[in-house]
Structure formats: C-alpha cells, structure tokens
Amino acid sequence: MQGATETAAPPLVSLLASTARLIDALPHLHQYAIDMTGGTCSLLFEHNPRNGVMQATSGYGLDGLQVDPWMPGPDEARLVHSAFGRHAATLVADGERQTPDLASRLGTRSALLVPLVQGTERVGMLAVGFLEPPSTTAAWGDGSEIADVFVTALELFRLRQRDEVQRDLRELVAEFSGSLSATLNLAAGLDIFCHGANRLFGADRTSVWIHDRRARHLVLHASSDPEHVARGVHVNSDDALAPAAVAMRRARAEIISTSDEAVTSRVTVPLRGCRRALGTIVFDDVRVETGGELDLLDRADELGRQLSSAIETMNLLRDVARSRSELENTFNSIAHLVAVSDRRGRLVHINEAFASRLGRSRDELLDRPIAECVGPELAAWLAAHESAAVRPDGQAPATCQVVDPVLNGPFIVTVTDLLDHDRERAGSVLVARDLTPQAKLEAEREELRRRLAQSEKLAALGVFVAGIAHELNNPLQGVLGHLELLRTTGGLPKPLRRDVQTIFREADRAAKIVRNLLVFAGSRRLAPRPTSLTAVLQKVLALRAAAFRAAGIEVVRHYEEKLPRVQGDPLLLHQAFLNIVLNAEQVIAAVGRPGQIAIAITAPQSSDRVVTTVRDTGGGMSPDVLSRIFEPFFTTKDVGKGTGLGLAITYGIVQEHGGHIAAANHPDGGAVITVELPTTPAPARTS
C-alpha cells in the first residue's frame, strides 16, 4: 500500500502520543516492524472475538490489501495456534507450501508470524514477508518487542476511539434522557434518539422496534425517516424473515450484507434488559469502512446497552407510576375511613372517605395532628395507644366503639401499628367503620323478624280459626233456617215475633263473623283477573259517600295516569279496601271533628307493583297498636262496636294476592296504610 520511506521516522512513543488516528500511525508501525526484521512487507490481522476469524485491517509494501477474512487451512491453523501458544514469533521458511493463503496475500516466499496477545486474549497477528528466508533470527528474537509495540498502539488508539465514541454516545443518550425526563413520553424521546444515532453511524435510516410481550409482536416506535416508515407497524416476534425479530434473539450487534454488490450494509442491535428482550435497533444502509467492523460493532453494542438501560428505566418508572396509581385508587375506594399518621401523630395519608366526612380536601388535612380531626374521646384513646409499646406479632389490633361528634356518627375504630423495615413503629393506621348502615340494617332485620313472626302467628291462627268457623257455620245455618220459618209462619204473638226477629238478627251477625273468619283463613278460593284498582276504589268510595258527608270527611284522590292493572279478585279487593276506608272513617269520627282521607295510587317504574296509600287525619297509632294492628280480634273500639277482624281480613286478602301491607304514622299526623299489589299473577297457593 505504501513504499518504504528513506526519511528517519520520529521516535515511536512520541509518534503514538501525538497521532490522533490509528490509520495515520499504522504506516510508521509497519515501517518499524520491517526495520526490526529486515522484511519487505507486512500485513496486520486483527482477531474478531465474535467469530474467531482473522480480519486483515492494514498492510505495508503490498501490491494490494485483500480485506476478506483469513481462514487458515489445517497446516496454517497449526502454525498459527503454535505461535499463539508459545507467545513467540514463528518463521515460515516455505510459505508457498506451509501457508499458501498467507503467501499469496504477502506475495513473498517466506513470512514471520508475530502473535499479538494481551494477557490471555488474542489481539491479532502481524505477518512480515521476506523474499528469501532470513539467515538469522537474532534481529527480532522472539518478536515480543514488535508485538508489544503493535498491541500497545492498537490498545491506545482503541481507548482513544472508545473515549470519542463514549462521548458521542453520552451526548446522544443525554439528549434522549432529557427528553424522557421532560415529557415521560418514550415515543418522542426515541424520535430524537433515531436522528442522533443516524448521524453517529452514518446510516440512511435508523429504526427502533419495541417488543410487546403479550401480543408477541415487535412494534415500530420511532424512525429517522417517518415519511417512508409508518409508526405502529408490527411484525411477529418469531418471524424468521424480519431483521428486527431475528436480531432480537441475538446476543450482540451484527453487520448484515444486503447483497453481494451493495456497498452498504444493515446493522442490527438487540436491546436487552436484565431479564428479557426489549426490542431491536436497525440501521439501514450503513457504510462500513474496511477494517472498521469491530469498532462499528463495539459502538453499536454500547449504544444498545445505553438505550436498553434508558428504556428499562422508563418502563420501571411507568410500572411504578401505574402501581402507585392503582394503590392510590384502591386506597381511595375503601368505604371505611382510613388515616395514616407518623410518630408525631400527624397525618401523612388519608383516603377520600375520611376527607369527605370532615368536609375538607386531602391537601388541607395532610401534616395536621390527627387529634384535631377527631373528637376528644377518640383523640384520648389514640394518645393512649401511641404511648403503649409496640404490639407483638399475632396480637389483635386495638379496637373501640365510639360515637364521634367530629366524624359525625357511631364507629368501630381499629388502630394498627405502622412498622418500618426494622419492625420499629413508624406511626399508626386508623380504620373507622361507620356503624350507621349496620344500625339501619339491624332495624330492617328486626322489622322483617317482626313481620315474619306476625305472619307465622296469623298463619297458625288462621288454621285454628278455619276449623272453628267450619264447625260453627253448620249449626248457625240450622238456627237461621228455623228462625226464618218461624218468622214466615205468622202464628207467633206479636211480642214473640219481636224477640224472634232479634234472635235472627244476632244469629245472622254471627254467621257474617264466621264468613269473615273463613275469608281471613284463606278458605275462599281466588278468582283472579286483570283488575283496575281505580275502579275498585271508586266503588268503595261511592258506597261510603253518604257516611262521609254526614261525618264531614273530605276525600282527596291522587291517581297516576295509565296505571297498570293488577291480577286479583275484584270482590276480595273490594272487601280489603272497604275495611281500610272504614277504619280511616271510624278513626276520624273518634277525633270528633271533620277530617280528610287522602288516597294515592302510583306505579313505580323500577317495580312491577302498584302501590296504594290511604292516609287519614285522625290521632295516629301508638307503638303498641302499630305492632298489633293486623292481628285478628284486636281492636281499640269499645266492646260491641268492633270485632277486630277488618284489618286482619284485609291482611289475609293482600297476602293471598302476593302483595304486602304496612301501617305507619304520618309525620304530619294521622295514620297511613300502604298496600302493594303485583301486576303479574301471584304464585298458586298450595294447601
């Protein structure tokens, strides 16, 4: 490549120190080797640790530099291995026979093989050519001096080049990391990275593919040429024809020739994290300098490591942010009141339920003493807990039940020690469970138990009453029949006829009571059909209209339009509502002043029932009366003025229809009876 120069070369040490590029120093190194050995030419092979081959990188005194890898034959390989094994120069006297490939590259008959070794690692080999075998080897000895010069020079310039590469890489990664820190947007940062890497490697296009493990795809996240490469394109991670997918499974960067005639190559760099593959960098149309392959691949590997570290850090930050958000959402979704305090008793974390109960924002409450956010009784209990020793593992946390005026309600409060990594107390965790819903639930359960007990009592009583009513009905019918005959004979004296009429009237009253008992016991079979409650109530009110006028009672109706019909027996429903209206009429009459009966019929959209309410303006009912209002034979009227069967019969009729009836006092005075009836047929009753 370059002939020998006759001018004296500067001292080698000062030359290496002052020369910035290896390519400028190599001619002087080759000249030094030739001067030391008396050879005519030299050829430097650098060892590729990736594949173990020898790559010709420079030469001196040659007609041409053959840059393809040197693949020694069996005989050549033995000589090369022997030279490296002895760490000494080996003279090949008959190169055409012993090392034909090397002899053709040097163009000489003989060659001196000088192994370049650093420690235990092969750096390369220097081959010095001789036209004729030298008569003595005293000039170079074992070749260690020549080898040390070349190894030192190669290492020196590689360190310089590595420093330059590291500086360029640091600038690129710093720009990329700055973009990530400012935006936390990986895609935007990768765009900046691609443009910088494109300049650094002299590529026509740089692309970054990120691995989606769940979808088993590689997705194109960024490119230096977005006009011709669409972001979001994906390839299967197992696609053997996709360069990005193939490279991701490799351990290091690779140079791939796209064709035999191409002057550029594709460089692929796997991105690997601590535990998994992250993706691939693909450089298209990279111009690789002869002998610069190793430096290029080292630079690519270093870039891949830097980018992998940045991506993994970004993924970790994203995972931490997502985990924090999930924990925060979970914390705020807890319905109980939760507050975490430090050793000073100041709040460090509170959930939304706690802040909402106090009517203040979380930011306002943080770092405030917890004693200011609870009532005095609870604050004193918390202070006593703080003064106690750390509870041993397995011991139940401290619990108390308190009605707190600040938190506004009854609570069961549990306090647990907040422990650090050393199992030392770092604060306390307070959980307050509001007992108000539980109290309401207990009240509802008690009401259901009361209704169930009443239903069971009425059911048992109904069976008993039905038996008695059947037994009484037969003799009563006989008595009524004979009395009717006596009344129609006309043979009785007038005073006696009056007594017979009284006996008949009372016997007929007793028969009606028996019939009502049978209705209460459910002995009468339903004849259900679509029935309009509006029509039923219209008939009931028409029947009592004269009595209402006489008592000064006003009737107010509130009926929704387009009410659905209920499945029921019109006669029984007429009897049920008549009993309710009669009860309201009698209650108002007992007050001794005019009153009002308000009747409302509604059909809630969220229910398949029709709700009827009958409210009076009487004196209302005491708790004792409310609990027994539907019991048979229970009445508040004087003796002889009521049987106590009216509302009991109504209860039985409503239950028979699959409905529900309830009585309550109205907040504005008087009583309200509510009847709910289904709009669908009630289940058949089994005996």
Side-chain angles (χ1 to χ4, degrees), residues 16-209:
L16 296 179
S18 61
T19 305
R21 296 192 306 164
L22 178 62
I23 192 171
D24 296 329
L26 282 174
H28 300 283
L29 291 172
H30 283 286
Q31 182 65 55
Y32 166 76
I34 290 174
D35 291 342
M36 286 288 293
T37 60
T40 58
C41 61
S42 62
L43 180 59
L44 177 63
F45 295 96
E46 293 187 46
H47 180 255
N48 188 340
R50 299 168 182 267
N51 51 23
V53 303
M54 293 289 189
Q55 181 74 46
T57 58
S58 64
Y60 190 87
L62 302 175
D63 293 333
L65 179 63
Q66 190 175 338
V67 297
D68 56 308
W70 177 32
M71 304 294 292
D75 295 336
E76 290 178 312
R78 280 192 293 271
L79 287 171
V80 171
H81 182 71
S82 174
F84 277 113
R86 294 185 297 108
H87 287 199
T90 300
L91 179 62
V92 181
D94 189 357
E96 294 180 354
R97 181 179 61 83
Q98 294 176 284
T99 57
D101 188 8
L102 180 60
S104 66
R105 289 173 183 261
L106 292 172
T108 60
R109 291 180 57 190
S110 303
L112 179 67
L113 304 182
V114 182
L116 307 180
V117 181
Q118 186 176 29
T120 58
E121 296 183 1
R122 296 183 181 185
V123 176
M125 178 169 285
L126 176 66
V128 181
F130 298 89
L131 294 177
E132 295 294 336
S135 58
T136 177
T137 61
W140 63 81
D142 61 359
S144 59
E145 184 177 348
I146 300 173
D148 289 344
V149 169
F150 271 83
V151 169
T152 301
L154 290 173
E155 184 64 22
L156 174 63
F157 287 106
R158 283 179 181 174
L159 288 174
R160 287 181 180 176
Q161 187 177 36
R162 189 175 295 116
D163 287 342
E164 293 175 359
V165 170
Q166 288 289 346
R167 183 181 65 251
D168 294 339
L169 291 179
R170 282 195 298 269
E171 292 177 358
L172 175 58
V173 173
E175 186 179 9
F176 169 64
S177 301
S179 173
L180 288 184
S181 301
T183 63
L184 293 179
N185 186 336
L186 181 60
L190 288 176
D191 282 338
I192 295 174
F193 172 86
C194 285
H195 286 88
N198 215 47
R199 295 190 303 269
L200 189 62
F201 282 79
D204 285 351
R205 179 171 57 244
T206 302
S207 305
V208 176
W209 300 74

Side-chain angles (χ1 to χ4, degrees), residues 610-625:
V610 176
V611 180
T612 305
T613 58
V614 179
R615 179 200 168 194
D616 62 64
T617 56
M621 294 177 280
S622 66
D624 181 63
V625 172

Side-chain angles (χ1 to χ4, degrees), residues 366-425:
L366 291 178
D367 203 38
R368 295 182 64 85
I370 192 172
E372 296 180 3
C373 303
V374 298
E377 182 181 353
L378 182 55
W381 183 75
L382 291 175
H385 176 271
E386 287 296 325
S387 62
V390 177
R391 293 175 174 272
D393 292 340
Q395 185 172 346
T399 303
C400 74
Q401 184 169 341
V402 63
V403 178
D404 195 277
V406 177
L407 298 179
N408 190 25
F411 293 90
I412 290 182
V413 180
T414 302
V415 176
T416 307
D417 292 330
L418 180 65
L419 304 180
D420 58 18
H421 294 293
D422 298 326
R423 308 300 296 171
E424 297 290 335
R425 178 187 288 170

Side-chain angles (χ1 to χ4, degrees), residues 593 596 598 615-621 664-672:
R593 62 176 182 271
Q596 184 184 86
R615 179 200 168 194
D616 62 64
T617 56
M621 294 177 280
N665 286 320
H666 195 276
D668 296 332
V672 179

Side-chain angles (χ1 to χ4, degrees), residues 532-534 559-566 601-605 609-610 679:
S532 170
L533 288 184
T534 305
Y559 300 162
E560 283 188 0
E561 296 182 358
K562 299 181 180 179
L563 287 168
R565 294 175 179 267
V566 298
I601 308 177
T602 60
Q605 294 182 354
R609 297 191 166 220
V610 176
T679 58

Side-chain angles (χ1 to χ4, degrees), residues 610-677:
V610 176
V611 180
T612 305
T613 58
V614 179
R615 179 200 168 194
D616 62 64
T617 56
M621 294 177 280
S622 66
D624 181 63
V625 172
L626 272 175
S627 63
R628 303 181 61 192
I629 190 67
F630 298 116
E631 290 184 8
F633 306 113
F634 174 78
T635 180
T636 58
K637 301 181 180 66
D638 295 335
V639 177
K641 293 187 178 180
T643 62
L645 286 174
L647 292 180
I649 290 171
T650 299
Y651 183 91
I653 292 173
V654 173
Q655 292 290 320
E656 194 76 11
H657 282 76
H660 173 70
I661 185 171
N665 286 320
H666 195 276
D668 296 332
V672 179
I673 293 182
T674 304
V675 177
E676 297 181 11
L677 293 171

